[in-house]
Amino acid sequence: MQAGVVLISLAALAVSLYGVVERRGAARRAERLRFAGLIDDLNNLRLAYRHPTTALEFGDEAAFVNARAELLAVQAYLLRNRLHDITSPEYRTLAFALSRSGYPAEADQSWREALLAAEEEGPTQQLFAHRGYAHFLFGAGRPEEAREQMRMGLKAIGSADDTARIHQIKTYVYWATEERIAGGSEVELRERAEEEIVLLDNEHARRRMRTFLESPS
Protein backbone atom coordinates (compact mmCIF):
# COMPACT_ATOMS: atom_id res chain seq x y z
CA MET A 1 0.00 0.00 0.00
CA GLN A 2 2.75 2.41 1.00
CA ALA A 3 4.72 1.55 -2.14
CA GLY A 4 1.68 2.36 -4.22
CA VAL A 5 1.33 5.75 -2.57
CA VAL A 6 4.99 6.47 -3.24
CA LEU A 7 4.62 5.53 -6.90
CA ILE A 8 1.57 7.74 -7.27
CA SER A 9 3.44 10.62 -5.64
CA LEU A 10 6.41 10.14 -7.94
CA ALA A 11 4.15 10.00 -10.97
CA ALA A 12 2.42 13.21 -9.90
CA LEU A 13 5.79 14.87 -9.39
CA ALA A 14 6.95 13.77 -12.85
CA VAL A 15 3.80 15.14 -14.45
CA SER A 16 4.26 18.41 -12.58
CA LEU A 17 7.91 18.72 -13.66
CA TYR A 18 6.98 17.91 -17.24
CA GLY A 19 4.40 20.68 -17.17
CA VAL A 20 6.97 23.16 -15.89
CA VAL A 21 9.50 22.16 -18.54
CA GLU A 22 6.87 22.30 -21.28
CA ARG A 23 5.71 25.75 -20.23
CA ARG A 24 9.28 27.01 -20.18
CA GLY A 25 9.88 25.52 -23.59
CA ALA A 26 6.77 27.18 -24.96
CA ALA A 27 7.87 30.50 -23.45
CA ARG A 28 11.32 30.17 -25.06
CA ARG A 29 9.77 29.34 -28.44
CA ALA A 30 7.50 32.37 -28.15
CA GLU A 31 10.48 34.59 -27.28
CA ARG A 32 12.44 33.19 -30.23
CA LEU A 33 9.58 33.92 -32.59
CA ARG A 34 9.27 37.41 -31.15
CA PHE A 35 12.99 38.04 -31.69
CA ALA A 36 12.81 36.75 -35.26
CA GLY A 37 9.85 39.04 -35.89
CA LEU A 38 11.74 42.06 -34.58
CA ILE A 39 14.74 41.30 -36.80
CA ASP A 40 12.45 40.81 -39.79
CA ASP A 41 10.79 44.17 -39.12
CA LEU A 42 14.21 45.84 -38.92
CA ASN A 43 15.18 44.34 -42.26
CA ASN A 44 11.93 45.54 -43.78
CA LEU A 45 12.66 49.07 -42.62
CA ARG A 46 16.09 48.91 -44.28
CA LEU A 47 14.54 47.71 -47.53
CA ALA A 48 11.81 50.33 -47.50
CA TYR A 49 14.19 53.23 -46.79
CA ARG A 50 17.45 52.53 -48.55
CA HIS A 51 18.65 56.16 -48.42
CA PRO A 52 19.64 58.04 -45.25
CA THR A 53 16.49 58.88 -43.34
CA THR A 54 17.43 62.39 -42.29
CA ALA A 55 15.00 65.03 -41.21
CA LEU A 56 16.09 67.24 -44.10
CA GLU A 57 15.27 64.52 -46.60
CA PHE A 58 12.07 63.04 -45.29
CA GLY A 59 10.82 65.37 -42.58
CA ASP A 60 8.30 63.85 -40.19
CA GLU A 61 8.50 60.51 -41.97
CA ALA A 62 12.17 60.23 -41.02
CA ALA A 63 11.36 60.79 -37.36
CA PHE A 64 8.76 58.01 -37.51
CA VAL A 65 11.07 55.56 -39.28
CA ASN A 66 13.98 56.26 -36.92
CA ALA A 67 11.81 55.99 -33.83
CA ARG A 68 10.36 52.70 -35.08
CA ALA A 69 13.82 51.31 -35.82
CA GLU A 70 15.11 52.36 -32.41
CA LEU A 71 12.16 50.73 -30.64
CA LEU A 72 12.60 47.45 -32.51
CA ALA A 73 16.38 47.42 -32.02
CA VAL A 74 16.21 48.06 -28.28
CA GLN A 75 13.52 45.40 -27.79
CA ALA A 76 15.56 42.86 -29.74
CA TYR A 77 18.76 43.74 -27.88
CA LEU A 78 17.11 43.22 -24.50
CA LEU A 79 15.50 39.97 -25.62
CA ARG A 80 18.66 38.42 -27.05
CA ASN A 81 20.11 37.54 -23.61
CA ARG A 82 17.25 35.07 -23.08
CA LEU A 83 17.96 33.15 -26.28
CA HIS A 84 20.71 30.70 -27.25
CA ASP A 85 20.22 30.09 -30.96
CA ILE A 86 20.56 33.52 -32.56
CA THR A 87 22.28 33.44 -35.95
CA SER A 88 25.10 35.68 -37.08
CA PRO A 89 22.91 37.41 -39.74
CA GLU A 90 20.38 38.26 -37.03
CA TYR A 91 23.11 39.72 -34.83
CA ARG A 92 24.41 41.71 -37.81
CA THR A 93 21.00 43.18 -38.53
CA LEU A 94 20.62 44.10 -34.87
CA ALA A 95 24.11 45.65 -34.71
CA PHE A 96 23.45 47.78 -37.79
CA ALA A 97 20.14 49.02 -36.38
CA LEU A 98 21.62 49.81 -32.97
CA SER A 99 24.48 51.73 -34.55
CA ARG A 100 22.15 53.73 -36.74
CA SER A 101 19.86 54.46 -33.77
CA GLY A 102 22.70 55.90 -31.69
CA TYR A 103 23.67 52.98 -29.45
CA PRO A 104 27.37 52.43 -30.27
CA ALA A 105 28.27 50.32 -27.23
CA GLU A 106 25.32 48.00 -27.77
CA ALA A 107 26.10 47.83 -31.49
CA ASP A 108 29.71 46.90 -30.73
CA GLN A 109 28.54 44.11 -28.42
CA SER A 110 26.16 42.79 -31.07
CA TRP A 111 28.94 42.76 -33.68
CA ARG A 112 31.09 40.71 -31.30
CA GLU A 113 28.21 38.31 -30.78
CA ALA A 114 27.82 38.06 -34.55
CA LEU A 115 31.48 37.02 -34.78
CA LEU A 116 31.01 34.31 -32.15
CA ALA A 117 27.89 32.93 -33.83
CA ALA A 118 29.63 32.94 -37.22
CA GLU A 119 32.31 30.56 -35.94
CA GLU A 120 29.75 27.76 -36.21
CA GLU A 121 28.26 28.91 -39.52
CA GLY A 122 31.12 28.63 -41.98
CA PRO A 123 33.61 30.90 -43.75
CA THR A 124 31.08 33.04 -45.63
CA GLN A 125 29.28 34.07 -42.45
CA GLN A 126 32.64 34.66 -40.78
CA LEU A 127 33.66 36.98 -43.62
CA PHE A 128 30.38 38.91 -43.46
CA ALA A 129 30.66 39.32 -39.69
CA HIS A 130 34.28 40.50 -39.80
CA ARG A 131 33.61 42.81 -42.73
CA GLY A 132 30.48 44.29 -41.17
CA TYR A 133 32.28 44.87 -37.89
CA ALA A 134 35.12 46.51 -39.82
CA HIS A 135 32.68 48.97 -41.45
CA PHE A 136 31.34 49.79 -37.99
CA LEU A 137 34.86 50.32 -36.61
CA PHE A 138 35.86 52.57 -39.49
CA GLY A 139 32.79 54.68 -38.83
CA ALA A 140 33.61 54.77 -35.12
CA GLY A 141 37.07 56.20 -35.80
CA ARG A 142 38.91 52.95 -34.93
CA PRO A 143 40.73 52.26 -38.22
CA GLU A 144 43.45 49.94 -36.92
CA GLU A 145 40.88 47.60 -35.37
CA ALA A 146 38.84 47.84 -38.56
CA ARG A 147 41.82 46.82 -40.71
CA GLU A 148 42.43 43.81 -38.51
CA GLN A 149 38.82 42.74 -38.95
CA MET A 150 39.15 43.06 -42.73
CA ARG A 151 42.28 40.91 -42.65
CA MET A 152 40.55 38.30 -40.52
CA GLY A 153 37.61 38.22 -42.91
CA LEU A 154 39.88 37.67 -45.91
CA LYS A 155 41.67 34.89 -44.06
CA ALA A 156 38.38 33.24 -43.13
CA ILE A 157 37.02 33.11 -46.70
CA GLY A 158 40.31 32.05 -48.29
CA SER A 159 40.69 31.66 -52.07
CA ALA A 160 39.97 28.02 -52.76
CA ASP A 161 37.63 28.67 -55.70
CA ASP A 162 36.02 31.44 -57.76
CA THR A 163 33.27 32.02 -55.20
CA ALA A 164 35.81 32.66 -52.46
CA ARG A 165 37.90 34.87 -54.75
CA ILE A 166 34.85 36.96 -55.66
CA HIS A 167 34.23 37.49 -51.94
CA GLN A 168 37.87 38.53 -51.57
CA ILE A 169 37.68 40.96 -54.50
CA LYS A 170 34.56 42.62 -53.11
CA THR A 171 36.13 42.83 -49.68
CA TYR A 172 39.25 44.54 -51.05
CA VAL A 173 37.06 47.07 -52.88
CA TYR A 174 34.90 47.76 -49.81
CA TRP A 175 38.05 48.10 -47.72
CA ALA A 176 39.60 50.48 -50.24
CA THR A 177 36.50 52.67 -50.10
CA GLU A 178 36.71 52.84 -46.31
CA GLU A 179 40.41 53.73 -46.52
CA ARG A 180 39.62 56.60 -48.87
CA ILE A 181 37.11 57.99 -46.38
CA ALA A 182 39.50 57.43 -43.47
CA GLY A 183 42.38 59.12 -45.29
CA GLY A 184 44.33 55.89 -45.70
CA SER A 185 45.85 54.25 -48.77
CA GLU A 186 43.53 52.38 -51.11
CA VAL A 187 45.90 51.75 -54.06
CA GLU A 188 47.42 48.53 -52.72
CA LEU A 189 43.99 47.12 -51.89
CA ARG A 190 42.73 47.73 -55.41
CA GLU A 191 45.88 46.14 -56.79
CA ARG A 192 45.23 43.05 -54.69
CA ALA A 193 41.67 42.94 -56.00
CA GLU A 194 43.04 43.07 -59.56
CA GLU A 195 45.43 40.20 -58.78
CA GLU A 196 42.51 38.07 -57.58
CA ILE A 197 40.48 38.93 -60.69
CA VAL A 198 43.26 37.54 -62.90
CA LEU A 199 43.13 34.27 -60.96
CA LEU A 200 39.40 33.72 -61.56
CA ASP A 201 38.74 30.65 -63.72
CA ASN A 202 35.44 31.88 -65.15
CA GLU A 203 35.75 34.53 -67.87
CA HIS A 204 32.31 35.98 -67.16
CA ALA A 205 33.22 36.32 -63.48
CA ARG A 206 36.46 38.11 -64.46
CA ARG A 207 34.57 40.64 -66.57
CA ARG A 208 31.95 41.16 -63.90
CA MET A 209 34.50 41.69 -61.14
CA ARG A 210 36.61 44.03 -63.26
CA THR A 211 33.50 46.15 -63.85
CA PHE A 212 32.84 46.07 -60.12
CA LEU A 213 36.41 47.15 -59.39
CA GLU A 214 36.32 50.01 -61.87
CA SER A 215 32.84 51.29 -61.05
CA PRO A 216 32.56 54.54 -59.01
CA SER A 217 32.12 53.91 -55.29
Side-chain angles (χ1 to χ4, degrees):
M1 181 67 177
Q2 187 175 3
V5 172
V6 171
L7 288 174
I8 292 172
S9 298
L10 289 174
L13 177 60
V15 170
S16 177
L17 290 174
Y18 176 80
V20 170
V21 171
E22 182 63 24
R23 285 193 295 273
R24 288 179 178 175
R28 283 195 294 270
R29 288 191 293 273
E31 290 174 341
R32 186 64 180 87
L33 288 172
R34 173 60 178 156
F35 182 86
L38 291 168
I39 296 300
D40 190 48
D41 287 344
L42 285 169
N43 273 323
N44 287 336
L45 282 178
R46 290 178 64 183
L47 290 171
Y49 300 92
R50 298 176 66 88
H51 300 291
T53 52
T54 64
L56 289 175
E57 188 173 354
F58 292 114
D60 291 341
E61 189 176 5
F64 170 77
V65 172
N66 291 334
R68 175 66 174 159
E70 179 185 2
L71 176 63
L72 295 172
V74 170
Q75 287 180 345
Y77 182 77
L78 294 175
L79 184 57
R80 88 199 194 292
N81 281 332
R82 302 168 68 173
L83 304 172
H84 304 286
D85 58 348
I86 300 174
T87 66
S88 185
E90 288 174 321
Y91 275 127
R92 297 201 314 267
T93 297
L94 176 57
F96 179 88
L98 287 166
S99 177
R100 188 162 182 165
S101 295
Y103 294 83
E106 291 79 2
D108 191 287
Q109 178 62 35
S110 295
W111 277 119
R112 293 178 181 276
E113 290 169 337
L115 290 172
L116 289 174
E119 291 179 0
E120 306 297 326
E121 298 173 357
T124 302
Q125 289 301 324
Q126 291 173 41
L127 167 65
F128 290 167
H130 284 296
R131 196 168 69 193
Y133 190 27
H135 286 307
F136 169 80
L137 291 170
F138 272 118
R142 296 155 62 184
E144 288 305 320
E145 294 174 71
R147 290 170 185 131
E148 180 60 21
Q149 289 299 319
M150 285 294 193
R151 285 189 285 266
M152 292 172 70
L154 289 165
K155 181 179 179 181
I157 197 63
S159 57
D161 53 29
D162 276 4
T163 298
R165 288 196 179 95
I166 287 170
H167 279 308
Q168 286 219 1
I169 293 161
K170 290 183 177 180
T171 300
Y172 281 127
V173 173
Y174 295 147
W175 186 356
T177 301
E178 292 288 357
E179 290 291 357
R180 185 195 311 154
I181 297 171
S185 175
E186 62 175 307
V187 175
E188 183 181 351
L189 296 169
R190 292 186 174 277
E191 289 174 348
R192 291 183 184 178
E194 178 62 40
E195 291 171 1
E196 291 297 328
I197 290 174
V198 173
L199 294 174
L200 289 171
D201 293 325
N202 184 279
E203 176 60 29
H204 175 70
R206 284 198 296 271
R207 291 196 301 269
R208 185 162 57 90
M209 285 298 98
R210 185 160 286 110
T211 298
F212 178 76
L213 174 61
E214 295 171 355
S215 63
S217 56

